[in-house]
Amino acid sequence: MFVQPVDYFLVAWFIVAAASTAYVAWDQFRNNPEPVVMKWGFVLVTLYMGPLGLLLYVLTDKEPRPGEHERFVQALWKQGVGSTIHCVAGDATGIILAAAVTAVLGLPMWIDLIVEYIAGFAFGLFIFQSLFMKSMMGGTYAQNVRKMFMPEFISMNFMMAAMAPVMSFLMMGRDMRAMVPTELLFWGVMSLGVIAGLVGAYPANVWMVARRLKHGLMTERHGSRGAHEPHAHNRHAAHRGHKGGHAAGSPKHDMSSDATLPQLATMAAVSAVALVIGLVAPANWVNLRLSAHQVGGAIMPPGMIMDRNTPAEAMRDMAAVDPRDVVGRFGLDTRGDRELAPRLDGDVKMFDLETSVIRWTILPGITVDAYAFNSQVPGPRLRFRQGDRVRINVTNRLPETTTVHWHGLILPNVMDGPAHITQEPIENGSVYRYEFTAIQSGTYLYHTHDHVDRQQALGLYGAMIIDPRDDDPRLRADHEYTLLLQEWLLREGLTYPAMPMDGAMPNYFTMNGRAYPATDTIPMRVGETLKVRFVGSNNGFIHPMHIHGGPFQVVAVDGQTLQPSARYDADTINVGPGQRFDVIWKARTPGKWLIHCHIGHHTTNNNVEMQGGGGLMMIINVST
Ligand SMILES: [Cu+2]
């Protein structure tokens, strides 16, 4: 599935690459008079470089008109391209195969790079240079390996010096799908790496061709064209390709180089330095100790600080919800915080909760990918009476483990929920049964207690209201509204858990899963009372909740009913994470009265005011 704009580009790119490769292969094997090894070289490089490979082929190697190949490929810059293509085809094939295998094995990036270098070098030297070139070079395989070692070493070093940073920075960048071979992005990064590698290796290859240390482009004719016709020789003929038995007197690839030892030694040394820098320098910025198994596939929020020490766990914690995990989509017609009717097992009230990843609409046209209980944000409201025996079966369908904590309740320790502390976390597909007797009464909440900063910020919470055994009429109101708060981070269509961290600051805010103007409106009449239960389901942020039109009376805090003498009037209360406040507000005057957070940013939608506000804002509509 496409989750980023780059995915569309990559599909288009690889279609063009396939077409380019098909054309180059067709032209090479049908029309172009050159050795088979070069035909394969251009085919492979076009596969890796797409239209750029095609361009290099057409400009340097494709015979313009019959009989002109010999003259056409003479120029040194073209010979250099041929030599580089030949190197890149072998080395890149080894590197790409090694990268795919090491990613599947889950080796750390720094080991990947070393294995890739060795594989690329071996593939290039032992197969592409020595084996495939043997027919042209003459001599034994061992002689060829020895002769080609130094040119291959220099070319490979420069290529990897350019290719390694491209791979390191892009694979360990924001979109770490680039580490996973089953993702198109992995192959896109490989292509970009090969392009960089070719550019990096080109200058040294030009020098090596000029000094007759390497072959460039060659012409090889046989069959009906008359294999034994003398070729149009030129000043490069001495080191260009002619098959043995061709024109009489043509020396068999005279590769006697005029490069001096200091030249060669310096070139080799500088290439080695470039290689070391290319391999090591990225470790200053990215954590090369991580493997594809640890973070592969994670997409990080823009602005997150990722340095060479950032652990894999931190990256997974802040990563976007994978849109491919979404199992249900819900529009504005689906509410959160719907009261869940219990099933009865004798005297026990049973509730079933199931976690899953859903796409949830917070505003018209604005959706978030949420972790949800029973496919709603907030999760269903659990309501029972003081003294009830309650059993809650929690089934986990998230791509990670979870637990549930019953915030504020007096219950057996093993039912309390903290992962790894009172219980093993619930694996995907498993069920955990929580059971307890409700001793207290009041406004409570339940929420995940496994990777809370991530999971609760993505929607795993709900209200729990326990009605008292003996109802106090002074705490009743004409209307009741339960209000759960949450922050969201939504960027480029991806949902990240909002947290007070660089790059993770929220840009959307919801009351009961909706942002204003999609929040509820409470209709009232003058003289009526409204009990609002503020629930601090917000995870990393405090919201000073304010009601217009006169003060409210705070009658309960954290589920504890205040003694009449302790009740107090206020118009703003700070609802911190985990806190609850029951307040009673009286409709004194007709009109539209607001309930809203008093942090201005929290009453916007992605910093935009819509119909007078946004986010944590709703209307009490009082009529006469
Ligand atoms: Cu706020």
Side-chain angles (χ1 to χ4, degrees):
M1 197 179 96
F2 295 168
V3 298
Q4 292 280 279
V6 69
D7 299 338
Y8 296 90
F9 170 80
L10 287 169
V11 167
W13 174 266
F14 284 113
I15 288 172
V16 173
S20 303
T21 307
Y23 172 77
V24 170
W26 174 80
D27 190 73
Q28 276 282 20
F29 287 96
R30 192 184 164 90
N31 302 324
N32 211 26
E34 70 175 346
V36 172
V37 62
M38 283 311 301
K39 294 181 195 286
W40 277 108
F42 269 102
V43 170
L44 284 173
V45 166
T46 309
L47 187 63
Y48 304 148
M49 294 180 38
L52 295 177
L54 172 68
L55 186 67
L56 285 180
Y57 175 64
V58 171
L59 292 187
T60 65
D61 189 37
K62 175 180 160 53
E63 192 170 40
R65 280 163 289 275
E68 290 185 8
H69 192 259
E70 290 81 349
R71 183 166 298 279
F72 181 68
V73 301
Q74 271 177 35
L76 182 60
W77 76 271
K78 294 179 184 175
Q79 292 291 317
V81 168
S83 169
T84 314
I85 292 283
H86 188 229
C87 160
V88 167
D91 300 353
T93 302
I95 290 171
I96 291 171
L97 290 176
V101 170
T102 54
V104 169
L105 292 178
L107 300 176
M109 275 290 288
W110 69 271
I111 294 180
D112 288 7
L113 291 168
I114 292 170
V115 172
E116 285 159 19
Y117 177 81
I118 294 168
F121 192 93
F123 211 87
L125 178 64
F126 296 120
I127 297 177
F128 246 74
Q129 297 290 358
S130 303
L131 190 63
F132 291 173
M133 293 292 272
K134 198 162 89 75
S135 58
M136 270 152 289
M137 304 273 295
T140 65
Y141 179 72
Q143 282 170 337
N144 276 308
V145 169
R146 230 174 294 128
K147 190 188 280 183
M148 291 314 297
F149 181 87
M150 188 52 76
E152 174 65 15
F153 179 72
I154 292 169
S155 188
M156 174 73 196
N157 285 353
F158 280 121
M159 172 171 165
M160 192 67 178
M163 194 168 173
V166 170
M167 292 194 293
S168 296
F169 284 122
L170 290 181
M171 285 183 157
M172 303 295 306
R174 259 194 69 207
D175 192 342
M176 290 185 284
R177 292 181 304 155
M179 295 177 83
V180 184
T182 52
E183 299 278 358
L184 217 46
L185 192 59
F186 173 91
W187 301 100
V189 168
M190 286 295 151
S191 288
L192 203 56
V194 172
I195 291 166
L198 185 134
V199 172
Y202 179 68
N205 273 278
V206 171
W207 179 77
M208 288 193 284
V209 169
R211 298 276 68 78
R212 272 180 267 154
L213 286 160
K214 279 194 83 181
H215 287 284
L217 293 165
M218 295 165 265
T219 307
E220 179 183 281
R221 297 189 188 277
H222 38 181
S224 57
R225 305 276 304 264
H228 297 284
E229 278 172 24
H231 292 167
H233 283 254
N234 54 59
R235 62 191 170 83
H236 288 298
H239 62 271
R240 263 196 296 119
H242 301 264
K243 212 174 177 94
H246 280 196
S250 172
K252 195 168 193 175
H253 303 290
D254 176 13
M255 289 292 282
S256 52
S257 171
D258 61 358
T260 66
L261 188 61
Q263 285 174 347
L264 201 55
T266 308
M267 192 60 127
V270 168
S271 76
V273 169
L275 172 71
V276 170
I277 292 173
L279 289 175
V280 174
N284 269 303
W285 293 279
V286 296
N287 188 346
L288 292 181
R289 286 162 298 177
L290 303 182
S291 74
H293 284 193
Q294 291 176 301
V295 287
I299 304 180
M300 307 317 303
M304 175 186 175
I305 292 180
M306 283 169 64
D307 58 32
R308 60 181 177 238
N309 291 322
T310 304
E313 177 114 4
M315 296 180 184
R316 290 200 303 272
D317 192 56
M318 290 175 75
V321 177
D322 188 338
R324 289 174 280 203
D325 290 331
V326 168
V327 295
R329 292 168 168 77
F330 301 92
L332 289 169
D333 51 333
T334 308
R335 296 182 53 88
D337 185 41
R338 303 197 300 273
E339 194 167 317
L340 182 62
R343 295 183 290 128
L344 286 177
D345 178 12
D347 290 342
V348 181
K349 286 185 176 168
M350 301 213 307
F351 298 94
D352 296 311
L353 293 181
E354 183 173 297
T355 60
S356 64
V357 183
I358 61 165
R359 183 153 298 164
W360 184 254
T361 306
I362 61 169
L363 275 170
I366 306 282
T367 59
V368 290
D369 294 339
Y371 284 8
F373 287 112
N374 296 17
S375 298
Q376 55 189 294
V377 182
R381 192 188 309 170
L382 305 184
R383 189 157 196 163
F384 39 89
R385 288 200 92 76
Q386 191 176 17
D388 280 350
R389 184 76 181 166
V390 178
R391 182 183 304 151
I392 303 147
N393 301 309
V394 177
T395 307
N396 182 21
R397 305 263 179 231
L398 296 174
E400 56 196 89
T401 62
T402 194
T403 65
V404 181
H405 169 58
W406 316 95
H407 184 106
L409 294 194
I410 300 165
L411 39 58
N413 188 245
V414 71
M415 297 300 160
D416 199 40
H420 302 292
I421 293 169
T422 62
Q423 69 168 93
E424 284 309 307
I426 311 168
E427 300 287 339
N428 174 293
S430 296
V431 185
Y432 193 92
R433 176 195 283 186
Y434 296 92
E435 188 166 329
F436 50 84
T437 301
I439 297 168
Q440 303 135 282
S441 66
T443 306
Y444 294 86
L445 77 151
Y446 62 92
H447 61 82
T448 171
H449 219 297
D450 185 6
H451 295 91
V452 187
D453 62 337
R454 172 176 180 79
Q455 295 185 1
Q456 196 176 334
L458 289 171
L460 281 189
Y461 61 85
M464 191 161 52
I465 294 173
I466 309 173
D467 293 312
R469 206 179 275 120
D470 308 306
D471 203 9
D472 180 349
R474 284 171 301 176
L475 296 175
R476 277 192 220 133
D478 301 310
H479 301 266
E480 211 184 280
Y481 192 82
T482 305
L483 204 164
L484 297 101
L485 303 164
Q486 192 187 344
E487 310 85 14
W488 299 90
L489 175 59
L490 178 64
R491 295 223 181 267
E492 297 168 345
L494 295 173
T495 306
Y496 303 87
M499 40 182 103
M501 284 279 288
D502 298 277
M505 297 301 276
N507 58 349
Y508 285 95
F509 306 87
T510 56
M511 287 171 160
N512 294 346
R514 302 275 188 258
Y516 178 86
T519 48
D520 290 329
T521 293
I522 304 171
M524 287 181 73
R525 289 187 168 278
V526 171
E528 286 183 331
T529 52
L530 166 70
K531 182 192 254 190
V532 179
R533 299 172 187 263
F534 288 107
V535 180
S537 51
N538 35 307
N539 199 23
F541 301 84
I542 297 168
H543 301 291
M545 298 305 297
H546 172 54
I547 304 184
H548 287 205
F552 46 72
Q553 185 179 49
V554 180
V555 297
V557 174
D558 294 346
Q560 315 304 309
T561 302
L562 297 178
Q563 294 301 314
S565 62
R567 294 172 198 170
Y568 61 97
D569 287 353
D571 61 33
T572 307
I573 39 161
N574 284 329
V575 181
Q579 293 188 301
R580 282 94 59 219
F581 295 91
D582 294 2
V583 309
I584 294 178
W585 180 84
K586 185 169 182 170
R588 298 168 177 88
T589 320
K592 291 178 177 174
W593 304 104
L594 289 178
I595 304 179
H596 71 87
C597 172
H598 223 284
I599 293 176
H601 174 55
H602 296 179
T603 52
T604 63
N605 300 323
N606 201 21
N607 289 57
V608 175
E609 267 199 17
M610 303 162 70
Q611 299 175 32
L616 300 182
M617 179 181 282
M618 63 184 292
I619 291 171
I620 309 169
N621 197 358
V622 179
S623 55
T624 49

